[in-house]
């Protein structure tokens, strides 16, 4: 190699190193807004029980409960981190439901603790919602929102006729804006009401990746992720960033830039091909997702440890029996860790789960790349491998849960 060639090579190496160092050292700064937002994508079920004698509850002003049905339960308190907020749901025929929430924990329902619920969707008379604010008296954030949903007329199999299904948010986001290469970018972080802190490596994080001024917080959205003692890298346009530091005392957010090849997430989007992956089935055979080309495939990420997963089993069995002859295949990605392969296989057979299943050890990297944090998670792909639905019904996608799964497949698959 000539001297000139050596010099050119050395300069190229130095230049490349400087570029990579620059990309890694770039920092972006922002600040938080002072209002928190409830995390309505990660809700907990609360079963409200019938109160035969409302007089047993304390009211600042006893309401007219003629012809009313009252149920009660305790909601999760974000500061105390336990179910300590006494709440009572009041229903009167042909009227909107309302809910009392003992915000100040004094054991008495005041008029300021009564919330009239609203329809979550104008055309849905069965889903109602309200948001209540719990005082946390932080230096930056004064109130912590709790989002409440009431599913009128909906019951799980183990609920009594008088029971009511209510769901509540347990987490909230702090919203801020960071200047990333001249663009004001929305970012979001889970806020711990008990510690009054935000972690950059644990809990929910979000970044506006597509620049539309919003963060889509669905569990499969590339704009959101649940960190598990890790640094999560997001895409903001064509820039890849993670959070370096948060200082609530100074109201300061610092993010750093990463190289594109540091971004390992597989972004799941309707209309795009789901990348092929290998797996080992419960007979020990090595398989591929691409083996199912030519058929619609419902990918179900589940586990026996997960009660909502078990509740879906009757619908999956019905779907497979009815639609497998019409070109449907189901691929279960199992996430059980406390049972042997033999036990899982035997239990699946006893439960009539006769579709294809993948062992956890063979699909850990797939689940991590998809950043799955909610179970069950279902993905429907077409015969060419394109994603049809992620069950994001708020975006007009086919519903892949419960009875609606059967309706969705019946409308999609040819007779």
């Amino acid at each position: 190699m000539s001297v000139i060639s050596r010099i050119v090579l050395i300069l190229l190496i130095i230049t490349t190193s400087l570029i990579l160092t620059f990309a890694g050292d770039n920092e972006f700064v922002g600040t938080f807004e002072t209002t928190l937002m409830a995390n309505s994508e990660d809700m907990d079920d609360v079963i409200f029980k019938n109160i035969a004698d409302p007089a047993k509850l304390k009211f600042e002003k006893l309401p007219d409960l003629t012809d009313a049905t009252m149920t009660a339960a305790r909601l999760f308190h974000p500061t105390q981190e336990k179910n300590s907020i006494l709440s009572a749901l009041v229903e009167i025929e042909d009227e909107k439901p309302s809910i009392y929430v003992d915000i100040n924990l004094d054991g008495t329902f005041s008029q300021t603790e009564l919330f009239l619920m609203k329809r979550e969707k104008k055309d849905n008379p069965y889903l109602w919602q309200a948001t209540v604010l719990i005082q946390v008296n932080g230096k930056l954030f004064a109130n912590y929102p709790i989002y409440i949903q009431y599913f009128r007329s909906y019951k799980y199999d183990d609920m009594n006729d008088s029971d009511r299904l209510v769901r509540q948010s347990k987490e909230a986001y702090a919203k801020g804006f960071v200047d990333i290469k001249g663009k004001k970018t929305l970012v979001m972080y889970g806020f711990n009401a008990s510690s009054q802190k935000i972690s950059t490596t644990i809990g929910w994080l979000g970044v506006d990746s597509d620049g539309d001024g919003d963060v889509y917080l669905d569990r499969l959205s590339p704009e959101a992720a649940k960190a598990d003692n890790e640094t999560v890298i997001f895409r903001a346009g064509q820039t890849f960033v993670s959070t370096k530091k948060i200082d609530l005392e100074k109201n300061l957010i610092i993010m750093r830039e990463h190289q594109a090849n540091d971004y390992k997430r597989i972004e799941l989007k309707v209309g795009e091909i789901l990348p092929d992956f290998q797996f080992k089935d419960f007979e020990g055979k090595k398989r591929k997702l691409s083996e199912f080309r030519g058929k619609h495939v419902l990918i179900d990420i589940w586990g026996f440890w997960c009660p909502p997963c078990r509740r879906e089993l009757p619908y999956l069995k019905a779907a497979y029996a009815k639609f497998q002859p019409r070109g449907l295949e189901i691929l279960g990605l199992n996430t059980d860790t406390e049972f042997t392969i033999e036990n899982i296989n035997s239990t699946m057979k006893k439960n009539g789960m006769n579709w294809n299943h993948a062992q956890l050890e063979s699909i850990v990297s797939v689940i991590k790349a998809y950043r799955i944090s909610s179970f069950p998670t279902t993905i429907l792909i077409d015969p060419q491998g394109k994603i049809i639905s992620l069950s994001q019904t708020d975006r007009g996608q086919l519903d892949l849960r419960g009875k609606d799964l059967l309706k969705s497949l019946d409308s999609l698959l040819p007779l």
Side-chain angles (χ1 to χ4, degrees):
M1 182 181 292
S2 67
V3 174
I4 294 177
S5 297
R6 289 176 183 273
I7 293 173
V8 171
L9 179 59
I10 291 171
L11 289 174
L12 179 61
I13 292 172
I14 292 173
T15 302
T16 303
S17 177
L18 287 173
I19 291 172
L20 295 179
T21 301
F22 179 75
D25 289 346
N26 252 358
E27 291 186 355
F28 313 109
V29 179
T31 58
F32 286 106
E33 295 182 339
T34 57
T35 302
L36 297 172
M37 186 185 81
N39 178 2
S40 60
E41 295 298 327
D42 199 7
M43 308 273 281
D44 271 15
D45 293 345
V46 183
I47 307 302
F48 277 55
K49 295 291 185 177
N50 182 58
I51 299 295
D53 183 8
K56 292 182 178 180
L57 301 177
K58 294 182 180 180
F59 295 88
E60 183 181 77
K61 179 182 179 182
L62 189 65
D64 181 7
L65 298 176
T66 306
D67 299 324
T69 298
M70 180 175 285
T71 51
R74 291 186 181 270
L75 298 178
F76 180 83
H77 195 290
T79 300
Q80 297 186 351
E81 296 187 325
K82 61 182 180 180
N83 289 21
S84 59
I85 309 176
L86 183 62
S87 304
L89 180 68
V90 180
E91 300 172 89
I92 301 175
E93 191 173 354
D94 298 327
E95 293 187 16
K96 295 179 180 179
S98 57
I99 187 167
Y100 284 94
V101 182
D102 184 19
I103 294 173
N104 60 10
L105 304 178
D106 67 351
T108 300
F109 292 129
S110 68
Q111 288 302 106
T112 60
E113 294 175 325
L114 175 62
F115 301 87
L116 187 65
M117 306 192 83
K118 301 177 181 178
R119 285 187 183 181
E120 187 163 283
K121 296 179 181 179
K122 291 182 180 180
D123 60 347
N124 188 343
Y126 303 105
L127 188 56
W128 298 81
Q129 57 88 16
T131 299
V132 302
L133 299 178
I134 304 295
Q135 287 188 347
V136 293
N137 299 319
K139 291 184 179 180
L140 190 58
F141 310 109
N143 297 301
Y144 193 99
I146 297 178
Y147 182 73
I148 301 171
Q149 287 179 320
Y150 166 43
F151 291 76
R152 175 178 272 176
S153 301
Y154 185 89
K155 289 181 173 58
Y156 294 140
D157 291 340
D158 56 352
M159 290 174 60
N160 298 323
D161 289 341
S162 60
D163 293 346
R164 300 292 185 264
L165 175 60
V166 174
R167 303 183 75 204
Q168 75 154 114
S169 63
K170 295 176 66 175
E171 300 177 329
Y173 288 106
K175 299 170 59 177
F177 288 91
V178 177
D179 187 325
I180 299 179
K181 295 186 177 179
K183 183 173 179 59
K184 190 177 180 181
T185 303
L186 175 64
V187 295
M188 303 180 72
Y189 302 88
F191 175 73
N192 187 306
S194 178
S195 66
Q196 297 277 317
K197 293 180 180 179
I198 290 174
S199 172
T200 62
T201 58
I202 298 176
W204 282 102
L205 315 170
V207 173
D208 177 15
S209 296
D210 57 14
D212 67 352
D214 192 17
V215 173
Y216 184 43
L217 296 175
D218 182 84
R219 65 198 184 284
L220 293 180
S221 167
E223 296 187 326
K226 193 169 188 178
D228 183 15
N229 286 303
E230 59 182 321
T231 297
V232 179
I233 299 173
F234 287 91
R235 177 179 58 80
Q238 296 306 311
T239 303
F240 300 91
V241 295
S242 67
T243 303
K244 180 178 180 179
K245 180 181 179 181
I246 286 176
D247 189 331
L248 292 180
E249 293 284 337
K250 298 178 180 179
N251 192 1
L252 179 67
I253 307 168
I254 300 177
M255 306 190 83
R256 66 178 291 257
E257 186 174 4
H258 291 262
Q259 301 172 52
N261 59 9
D262 290 335
Y263 185 64
K264 306 299 183 183
R265 182 170 193 156
I266 294 178
E267 296 188 8
L268 302 177
K269 296 181 180 179
V270 169
E272 295 191 1
I273 296 286
L274 186 66
D276 196 13
F277 60 83
Q278 294 183 332
F279 65 92
K280 182 187 291 186
D281 67 19
F282 276 78
E283 303 303 322
K285 297 178 181 178
K286 292 183 178 180
R287 310 280 299 278
K288 287 185 177 182
L289 174 64
S290 55
E291 291 178 21
F292 303 103
R293 288 289 190 267
K295 297 184 178 182
H296 286 84
V297 182
L298 183 71
I299 299 172
D300 177 43
I301 305 171
W302 71 286
F304 281 121
W305 60 269
C306 161
C309 300
R310 297 198 299 270
R311 285 197 289 267
E312 291 295 311
L313 287 179
Y315 304 107
L316 290 169
K317 289 170 64 175
Y320 194 62
K322 183 174 181 179
F323 299 111
Q324 198 266 347
R326 290 165 60 175
L328 175 73
E329 287 295 337
I330 299 178
L331 174 58
L333 306 188
N334 180 263
T335 61
D336 284 298
T337 59
E338 298 181 1
F339 309 101
T340 65
I341 299 299
E342 292 75 19
N343 284 342
I344 297 171
N345 199 11
S346 173
T347 305
M348 288 192 299
K349 289 179 178 178
K350 288 180 181 178
N351 282 275
M353 301 165 64
N354 299 319
W355 48 92
N356 295 280
H357 294 272
Q359 295 184 32
L360 174 60
E361 64 175 13
S362 67
I363 43 88
V364 168
S365 61
V366 174
I367 294 175
K368 185 175 182 180
Y370 294 171
R371 296 211 64 90
I372 303 299
S373 60
S374 178
F375 302 88
T377 288
T378 43
I379 303 168
L380 181 63
I381 62 177
D382 71 9
Q384 290 73 47
K386 290 183 180 180
I387 298 174
I388 296 175
S389 175
L390 300 169
S391 204
Q392 296 168 337
T393 55
D394 58 334
R395 294 204 161 185
Q397 298 174 22
L398 295 173
D399 194 336
L400 306 179
R401 293 288 181 86
K403 295 179 181 178
D404 289 321
L405 169 64
L406 305 179
K407 295 178 183 177
S408 296
L409 292 175
D410 198 29
S411 68
L412 178 70
L413 298 173
L415 293 171

